[in-house]
Amino acid sequence: MPSKYQRLCFFTILSLIFFSAVAATTTAPTAYELLQSYDFPVGILPKGITHYDLDPSSGRFDAYLNGSCSFSLEGSYQLKYNPRISGNIYKDTLTNLSGVRVKVLFLWLNIVEVRRNGENLEFSVGVASAEFPIDNFYVCPQCGCGLNCKPLEEKCRRGNLRSISLVSEI
Ligand SMILES: *[C@@H]1O[C@H](CO)[C@@H](O)[C@H](O)[C@H]1NC(C)=O
Ligand SMILES: *[C@@H]1O[C@H](CO)[C@@H](O)[C@H](O)[C@H]1NC(C)=O
């Protein structure tokens, strides 16, 4: 038989675990942390998302930037984000996307879907798609200068630090 003391100890530990779990979930994740929880890298979204809404049951989301945002990646692809980006998010799949465009030749095409296939991300514009290694998306691009900003900015450092401290609290 466990002693009274042992039982008290056990329940104290249980309630500590419970309350730290509650404390962790009441801190709303940033849009970048949310992406990570669906198995996507943070760099799919540019720096500067001010807020978002998510309906977890349908996966429907809207994410907001202060204004529209454009930059080019590696001097090749030009991307444009509207102030409002919407879609449905599921693990490894972002679909029904609107508000993100890529310039292909002379046309601006909507990126309608992003899928994670293992260590690659597949971007689809409906009629065509292209795959890129996921490690190109570990850092958030910045509006205007993309990934080639000088001086090198902190990108989404704040979001990352928060999730690290959250883990160490638990
Ligand atoms: C968005 O705009 C508001 C008001 O102009 C400003 O206070 C805020 O810092 C901006 N947020 C970002 C992430 O740029
Ligand atoms: C795409 O959006 C429509 C309309 O909002 C919705 O009915 C549908 O379920 C969405 N598709 C997926 C796969 O989430």
Side-chain angles (χ1 to χ4, degrees), residues 30 32-33 36 41-49 71-74 136-162:
T30 65
Y32 307 102
E33 290 165 345
Q36 291 176 317
V42 292
I44 291 181
L45 287 174
K47 200 184 165 196
I49 298 287
F71 52 87
S72 54
L73 286 180
E74 309 297 318
N136 292 341
F137 302 93
Y138 288 156
V139 173
C140 296
Q142 206 173 319
C143 301
C145 51
L147 296 174
N148 294 312
C149 305
K150 288 171 194 153
L152 211 60
E153 281 270 349
E154 289 190 20
K155 319 284 178 194
C156 18
R157 179 73 96 50
R158 225 178 340 149
N160 291 342
L161 278 185
R162 176 116 69 92

Side-chain angles (χ1 to χ4, degrees), residues 4-167:
K4 222 177 188 172
Y5 174 74
Q6 277 171 322
R7 255 180 292 173
L8 186 68
C9 219
F10 177 72
F11 285 113
T12 307
I13 290 168
L14 252 194
S15 46
L16 275 179
I17 290 170
F18 177 76
F19 286 113
S20 49
V22 168
T25 52
T26 51
T27 314
T30 65
Y32 307 102
E33 290 165 345
L34 189 79
L35 276 177
Q36 291 176 317
S37 72
Y38 285 94
D39 210 21
F40 281 107
V42 292
I44 291 181
L45 287 174
K47 200 184 165 196
I49 298 287
T50 53
H51 62 291
Y52 68 88
D53 304 311
L54 169 75
D55 174 5
S57 60
S58 66
R60 188 78 199 160
F61 75 90
D62 295 288
Y64 301 90
L65 289 159
N66 257 354
S68 45
C69 170
S70 64
F71 52 87
S72 54
L73 286 180
E74 309 297 318
S76 58
Y77 287 91
Q78 254 182 293
L79 290 171
K80 252 189 209 171
Y81 288 77
N82 288 353
R84 175 174 162 196
I85 302 147
S86 325
N88 289 74
I89 189 164
Y90 310 99
K91 188 168 181 286
D92 293 328
T93 304
L94 265 164
T95 191
N96 266 345
L97 264 180
S98 70
V100 188
R101 280 172 296 166
V102 61
K103 196 175 186 182
V104 178
L105 300 176
F106 300 103
L107 297 173
W108 284 101
L109 302 175
N110 283 307
I111 296 181
V112 292
E113 195 168 276
V114 185
R115 249 172 219 284
R116 178 169 180 171
N117 297 325
E119 292 307 295
N120 290 305
L121 286 182
E122 183 187 343
F123 293 82
S124 166
V125 293
V127 291
S129 66
E131 277 203 349
F132 302 94
I134 203 159
D135 55 12
N136 292 341
F137 302 93
Y138 288 156
V139 173
C140 296
Q142 206 173 319
C143 301
C145 51
L147 296 174
N148 294 312
C149 305
K150 288 171 194 153
L152 211 60
E153 281 270 349
E154 289 190 20
K155 319 284 178 194
C156 18
R157 179 73 96 50
R158 225 178 340 149
N160 291 342
L161 278 185
R162 176 116 69 92
S163 61
I164 291 164
S165 63
L166 214 116
V167 166

